[in-house]
Amino acid sequence: MTTKSANSGSRTTQSGRPARLSLADWMPKLVMAPTVVTTIVCIYGYMIWTAVLSFTNSRMLPTYKFVGTAQYERLFDNDRWLVALSNLGVFGGLFILICLVLGVMLAIFLDQKIRAEGAIRTIYLYPMAISFIVTGTAWKWLLNPTNGIEKMMIELGFEDFRFNWLSDPDMVVYCLVIAAVWQASGFVMALFLAGLRGVDGEMIKAAQLDGAGIFTTYRRIILPSLKPVFFSAMVILSHIAIKSFDLVASLTNGGPGYSSDLPANFMYTHAFNRSQMGLGSASAMVMLGCVLAILIPYLYSELRGERHE
Amino acid sequence: MKKIAFGLSTVALSLAAATAQAGEVEVLHWWTSGGEAAAINVLKQEMTDAGHTWKDFAVAGGGGESAMTVLKSRAIAGNPPASAQIKGPTIQEWGDLGFLTNLDDVAKQGDWDSVLPSVVSSAMKYDGHYVAAPVNVHRVNWMWANPEVFKKAGASIPTTWDQFITEAKKIKAAGYTPLAHGGQAWQDATLFEAIALAKGSKFYNSAFLSLSDDTLRSQDMIDVFTTFKAMREFVDPGFSGRDWNIATSMVINGEAAMQIMGDWAKGEFTAAGKKAGIDYVCYPAPGTSGQFTFNIDSLAMFQVDGDDAQAAQQDLARLILEPKFQETFNLNKGSIPARLNMPRDKFDTCAHASMDAFLASSTTGDLLPSYAHGMAVNSMVQGAINDVVTNFFNSESITAEEAVDKLARAVKAADM
């Protein structure tokens, strides 16, 4: 935002007007200033503070006794953290992949000018309106082996039906994937549907005149032109995955044991419940690293794109 | 300590100046469930009767994690409440940070040193001075059982863990869940602690208070883990993440035979209209009949400014230890009073058993702080032990030997 207002400022001076800035020139900067200050203090300031704390041995309250990288060493020596990280890999990977595939498929199906499209679209998009806490609680009941899907199937006569992922340490992370996909795939669908509607109809007609089937048209013409939508969806989904906290808190609470812990839950538990603020800060910094790893290439491509225009 | 000395002098001055001054006390607590709210309302009423203003600062959430988070942010901002529900070693942590005020005068007037058992009074002191007032004593090593289920299954109440396994197999064969359990880390810890306790108070002390590496790696500890793992087949498949009160309701409505849980479970039985000794029975957890693992709730007092506020705070501390409050609060909460020599006619048989065990164990060295409820070790060590315990209970691949090794290493890492 700041760069834009700076640009417009320089542009007016270049356009031959006197260099003295009028109130109208200052106005945008004045209006933006509070936002900029709060952003700098409340986001970047606290980021730096967390970074500082991660090098101290802070326990219940922040202290400034520096211990070097000891907290990071402890962190990567901690079995629970490693479980949380690998869970993030599995959960994040599957969640993004399945959401994209399902979202694109649903969008394409909905794009076939079917009846009651508005109603169907709303039904698919609706889960997004629900908080992850509600999603987690609802799926907790559905997946509970004693009173959810398993019980229903047994009562329907499938006596040997077993679906106990929620209490199986090796499978529980897939329960998180199920609930999160249910929540977010409708949103991806909506993104792609908007993208599909924006594709130039002439281009599709031209492809059809050239004898391309519907499958080829989608694969070769339409989907490649939706690359920016893909990219936005990826970025949004991956940050949902990394910051996921409420879903775990309500669906499994990290259990059984700590087999479904995600980094955000690890950070909260250690920094606030267990009086290990230093260790918690270190884990928060690793999470920040994960976000930056996604954000920097995104920003890079965005900024480079702008220059090309 | 300078701060304590300063606190002492201001307290003495304010007490001398005006004992009838009305002030405001803000109390941070997480007694928000039905029975708990009724219990704390008694104190609120007594404070209002004494002419003070009670500012309630209730933060919901069973274990008080969210309340502690709020308390920390208030403390960092330099504006802690007058009083907060803090217990066990956490009192010492706050004392170390210099936040707590001195209650020695009130304690002297109320003769706290003689009405409180020494194990309770020492937990309320930081650096030799009273800084907190105890509201109750919970016994953690209880076993709650449904006699009806035992009768139907032809089983008898177990008194050792070996016998527990034998009887549980009978109950399981009869189609009931032998052990009602919720798969949350603290509930796993409660069960684990009860099993470890059966190995003797000396073992318990050495493992969870002294954190002795030898004891943590001993054969006895391996046995404890093995017995603990044996419990896994006696819980139902839906135990993961279940709240403790849902587990209690399984015993209440006859789905399950037993639950190992502290005496707050009694509140659930009472709320369901069940009678102790008839609809449900309470026994010490197998093999721990002479022992008593305690969990004491207390209100610690923070340093506040202003004579009025300080007077109100001192009054609050005094009222907490009065027999009237101790009785009403604990009848509602399911626990027993922290002070000795209380009239006991209003309490039920389970509470009587608890009081007897509390008195008897205090002289034999079998009165022990509950590690699972944060009375024995600080939250870092407690969390580290819980991680190992809960992971072991839920994992099929870890052996008891590996778990013991993990335990010893985790405790060492957390204790740094």
Side-chain angles (χ1 to χ4, degrees):
Chain A
M1 282 320 211
T2 42
T3 50
K4 264 186 191 157
S5 58
N7 280 343
S8 65
S10 62
R11 232 176 274 144
T12 41
T13 42
Q14 275 166 6
S15 66
R17 280 198 4 218
R20 194 179 60 85
L21 292 173
S22 66
L23 181 67
D25 292 315
W26 278 104
M27 210 51 183
K29 286 176 195 166
L30 266 175
V31 172
M32 287 311 293
T35 324
V36 172
V37 171
T38 32
T39 308
I40 288 174
V41 173
C42 295
I43 298 180
Y44 297 99
Y46 284 124
M47 260 182 208
I48 293 166
W49 195 25
T50 311
V52 171
L53 287 181
S54 73
F55 294 105
T56 67
N57 72 342
S58 300
R59 291 192 160 181
M60 194 156 82
L61 297 178
T63 56
Y64 298 96
K65 225 192 224 164
F66 290 93
V67 291
T69 56
Q71 298 288 12
Y72 290 91
E73 282 158 28
R74 278 178 76 199
L75 185 66
F76 282 94
D77 202 29
N78 189 322
D79 189 42
R80 185 168 175 175
W81 172 250
L82 299 177
V83 168
L85 266 192
S86 75
N87 277 346
L88 178 62
V90 175
F91 169 74
L94 284 177
F95 166 66
I96 294 169
L97 187 76
I98 299 175
C99 269
L100 281 177
V101 171
L102 267 183
V104 170
M105 274 171 49
L106 287 172
I108 291 176
F109 291 153
L110 263 185
D111 197 32
Q112 307 307 313
K113 306 198 170 55
I114 51 167
R115 239 191 300 168
E117 185 203 310
I120 295 173
R121 195 180 51 207
T122 312
I123 290 172
Y124 281 122
L125 188 57
Y126 216 82
M128 194 68 188
I130 297 171
S131 117
F132 262 123
I133 293 281
V134 180
T135 306
T137 311
W139 278 97
K140 184 164 130 184
W141 294 330
L142 284 171
L143 295 168
N144 185 315
T146 47
N147 57 14
I149 296 171
E150 182 175 304
K151 191 182 177 201
M152 188 188 81
M153 292 304 276
I154 289 173
E155 276 170 6
L156 284 176
F158 300 93
E159 290 290 335
D160 294 329
F161 186 85
R162 285 289 167 275
F163 186 57
N164 60 348
W165 287 7
L166 200 59
S167 53
D168 182 346
D170 297 326
M171 303 302 283
V172 67
V173 64
Y174 302 109
C175 292
L176 296 178
V177 176
I178 293 174
V181 163
W182 178 83
Q183 166 110 340
S185 53
F187 170 66
V188 178
M189 176 206 75
L191 277 183
F192 274 97
L193 198 55
L196 285 173
R197 295 286 149 85
V199 174
D200 192 356
E202 297 297 318
M203 220 161 65
I204 301 169
K205 266 184 208 149
Q208 278 164 350
L209 280 179
D210 282 348
I214 188 157
F215 181 73
T216 322
T217 316
Y218 270 107
R219 196 169 65 89
R220 308 292 291 262
I221 313 279
I222 301 177
L223 288 182
S225 72
L226 292 183
K227 221 165 135 193
V229 183
F230 258 113
F231 221 80
S232 314
M234 275 283 288
V235 169
I236 293 170
L237 289 176
S238 46
H239 100 133
I240 291 181
I242 293 171
K243 73 173 188 190
S244 261
F245 172 82
D246 34 9
L247 183 66
V248 180
S250 61
L251 181 62
T252 63
N253 204 7
Y258 48 77
S259 50
S260 62
D261 234 13
L262 288 183
N265 303 76
F266 178 95
M267 190 277 288
Y268 182 81
T269 311
H270 284 77
F272 299 113
N273 295 350
R274 291 195 184 170
S275 305
Q276 297 198 328
M277 211 165 260
L279 191 69
S281 305
S283 65
M285 291 318 288
V286 177
M287 282 168 65
L288 178 65
C290 294
V291 174
L292 288 181
I294 296 164
L295 212 60
I296 288 174
Y298 175 70
L299 285 177
Y300 180 73
S301 74
E302 284 280 291
L303 294 175
R304 204 185 46 173
E306 233 168 64
R307 219 176 297 140
H308 276 293
E309 273 166 21
Chain B
M1 280 220 69
K2 237 181 209 165
K3 268 179 180 155
I4 293 273
F6 174 74
L8 193 68
S9 56
T10 45
V11 161
L13 275 176
S14 66
L15 270 181
T19 35
Q21 263 172 333
E24 183 185 84
V25 277
E26 190 178 14
V27 183
L28 172 77
H29 63 90
W30 60 90
W31 288 306
T32 46
S33 83
E36 292 171 341
I40 194 69
N41 271 330
V42 179
L43 189 60
K44 198 183 291 185
Q45 191 54 50
E46 286 184 2
M47 281 301 280
T48 318
D49 291 345
H52 300 297
T53 322
W54 172 284
K55 198 169 161 198
D56 208 37
F57 186 6
V59 180
E65 283 93 1
S66 22
M68 283 300 107
T69 311
V70 176
L71 179 62
K72 277 173 213 166
S73 60
R74 285 276 300 262
I76 294 173
N79 180 30
S83 180
Q85 188 187 345
I86 307 177
K87 64 181 190 182
T90 320
I91 295 177
Q92 309 303 319
E93 285 178 44
W94 282 103
D96 278 337
L97 294 167
F99 277 105
L100 301 180
T101 195
N102 189 310
L103 301 174
D104 282 349
D105 284 335
V106 193
K108 211 170 176 187
Q109 280 176 357
D111 206 11
W112 289 11
D113 275 329
S114 61
V115 297
L116 295 178
S118 64
V119 66
V120 178
S121 61
S122 62
M124 298 301 129
K125 286 177 185 170
Y126 171 72
D127 205 19
H129 301 281
Y130 278 102
V131 291
V135 294
N136 66 2
V137 175
H138 281 296
R139 186 185 195 182
V140 181
N141 59 325
W142 273 121
M143 180 173 78
W144 308 91
N146 186 323
E148 189 70 23
V149 176
F150 271 89
K151 213 165 85 188
K152 282 187 195 152
S156 50
I157 302 281
T159 52
T160 66
W161 285 105
D162 287 337
Q163 207 186 335
F164 184 100
I165 294 172
T166 328
E167 301 300 327
K169 279 182 182 152
K170 283 187 210 163
I171 296 165
K172 200 178 177 186
Y176 298 97
T177 303
L179 183 64
H181 184 60
Q184 294 172 329
W186 71 269
Q187 294 189 56
D188 292 339
T190 305
L191 180 60
F192 177 76
E193 175 183 279
I195 296 170
L197 189 63
K199 284 280 174 193
S201 303
K202 213 174 139 199
F203 170 81
Y204 184 94
N205 262 322
S206 162
F208 299 124
L209 271 81
S210 322
L211 302 173
S212 141
D213 197 60
D214 288 343
T215 313
L216 291 175
R217 292 177 183 276
S218 64
Q219 182 58 43
D220 275 350
M221 193 52 99
I222 297 177
D223 293 346
V224 169
F225 271 100
T226 313
T227 310
F228 181 54
K229 192 53 164 275
M231 298 299 130
R232 183 68 180 74
E233 62 173 296
F234 301 132
V235 301
D236 64 312
F239 80 105
S240 239
R242 176 188 286 145
D243 284 320
W244 67 271
N245 50 338
I246 312 277
T248 310
S249 70
M250 291 170 65
V251 179
I252 293 175
N253 57 34
E255 279 172 55
M258 297 171 270
Q259 185 187 19
I260 307 288
M261 185 50 64
D263 51 18
W264 47 91
K266 201 173 70 187
E268 296 293 310
F269 285 103
T270 315
K274 303 290 178 188
K275 284 263 173 300
I278 302 161
D279 302 311
Y280 70 97
V281 286
C282 49
Y283 287 93
T288 68
S289 63
Q291 291 158 302
F292 192 114
T293 36
F294 64 82
N295 177 17
I296 303 171
D297 283 326
S298 48
L299 286 173
M301 304 295 166
F302 283 77
Q303 284 171 15
V304 288
D305 292 329
D307 290 350
D308 298 354
Q310 281 166 3
Q313 190 182 41
Q314 301 282 325
D315 263 357
L316 177 69
R318 177 175 61 78
L319 287 169
I320 289 171
L321 259 286
E322 301 262 292
K324 186 176 159 237
F325 169 73
Q326 291 275 329
E327 182 180 270
T328 332
F329 183 88
N330 287 299
L331 283 171
N332 281 313
K333 188 84 161 54
S335 42
I336 63 169
R339 60 179 293 155
L340 302 170
N341 311 320
M342 289 272 301
R344 43 161 80 187
D345 45 319
K346 284 188 191 155
F347 289 91
D348 63 16
T349 52
C350 291
H352 286 172
S354 204
M355 290 170 182
D356 291 340
F358 185 53
L359 270 182
S361 62
S362 67
T363 55
T364 56
D366 289 318
L367 185 58
L368 302 156
S370 161
Y371 111 77
H373 295 274
M375 298 303 296
V377 284
N378 64 38
S379 48
M380 308 164 226
V381 178
Q382 186 196 353
I385 301 177
N386 281 0
D387 276 351
V388 176
V389 165
T390 186
N391 191 39
F392 172 75
F393 193 63
N394 286 288
S395 162
E396 277 156 27
S397 54
I398 310 174
T399 66
E401 284 79 6
E402 284 166 355
V404 165
D405 179 55
K406 277 188 175 202
L407 178 71
R409 283 193 293 120
V411 167
K412 205 177 244 171
D415 207 25
M416 85 167 203

